[in-house]
């Protein structure tokens, strides 16, 4: 005898679960030019748990050259299947690699400290040969950049 259940989905975990839409975020090459337009990007964090996700803190780590700017997060509590958004801009100030981490502290049971590396490369000319972008979280350091 076979038993079929139609229309039933497995429920998510009771505890909050945080997931991000991209990890790492690779922004590519940008021209170092004070008159250039910044590369805009966004991060979406989703709660896949039943209980509300509480965002305790968000820190930007490792922006030694102050090449990034952020707005958000837009909320501090995320309901089941709800989302939190952060918007960012990347405008390199010098030639070379820029690697930061967006660190989200929350009550999520899967990642109470979620680290999202964000990387880009400042170039003097877009004709410069392309190099591979390795995107890893930087060491725990933060510059005094105006956000």
């Amino acid at each position: 005898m076979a038993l079929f259940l139609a229309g039933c989905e497995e429920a998510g975990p009771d505890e909050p679960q945080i997931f991000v839409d991209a990890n790492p975020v690779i922004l590519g090459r940008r021209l170092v030019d004070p008159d250039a337009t910044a590369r805009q990007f966004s991060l979406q964090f989703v709660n896949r748990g039943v209980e509300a996700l509480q965002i305790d803190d968000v820190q930007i780590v490792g922006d030694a050259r102050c090449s990034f700017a952020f707005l958000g997060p837009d909320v501090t509590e995320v309901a089941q299947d709800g989302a939190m958004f952060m918007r960012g801009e990347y405008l390199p100030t010098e030639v070379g690699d820029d690697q930061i981490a967006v660190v989200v502290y929350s009550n999520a049971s899967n990642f109470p400290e979620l680290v999202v590396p964000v990387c880009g490369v400042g170039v003097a000319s877009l004709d410069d040969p392309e190099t591979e972008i390795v995107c890893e979280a930087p060491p725990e350091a933060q510059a005094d950049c105006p956000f």
Side-chain angles (χ1 to χ4, degrees):
M1 179 169 144
L3 178 63
F4 295 98
L5 298 175
C8 295
E9 290 185 22
E10 184 177 319
D14 286 341
E15 302 87 15
Q17 299 274 311
I18 190 170
F19 293 90
V20 64
D21 62 344
N23 192 356
V25 177
I26 300 175
L27 300 172
R29 300 160 22 112
R30 296 296 296 175
L31 190 61
V32 176
D33 179 352
D35 297 324
T37 302
R39 163 81 160 74
Q40 297 184 356
F41 62 97
S42 65
L43 294 170
Q44 177 182 10
F45 300 88
V46 177
N47 177 17
R48 295 287 183 224
V50 174
E51 295 174 7
L53 173 68
Q54 300 293 326
I55 306 300
D56 299 322
D57 192 18
V58 177
Q59 295 182 4
I60 309 304
V61 177
D63 192 6
R65 302 186 321 177
C66 299
S67 297
F68 295 87
F70 284 89
L71 178 63
D74 62 340
V75 296
T76 57
E77 182 175 300
V78 182
Q80 178 182 9
D81 295 325
M84 170 190 84
F85 294 90
M86 288 186 67
R87 289 186 291 165
E89 292 185 344
Y90 173 55
L91 186 59
T93 57
E94 298 176 29
V95 171
D97 295 341
D98 290 299
Q99 296 187 354
I100 65 164
V102 175
V103 185
V104 179
Y105 298 92
S106 71
N107 67 335
S109 61
N110 60 338
F111 296 104
E113 182 180 320
L114 177 62
V115 178
V116 181
V118 180
C119 306
V121 176
V123 295
S125 168
L126 294 177
D127 294 329
D128 290 351
E130 290 195 34
T131 58
E132 179 182 3
I133 299 174
V134 178
C135 196
E136 299 174 345
E140 293 289 326
Q142 185 170 351
D144 293 324
C145 301
F147 292 116

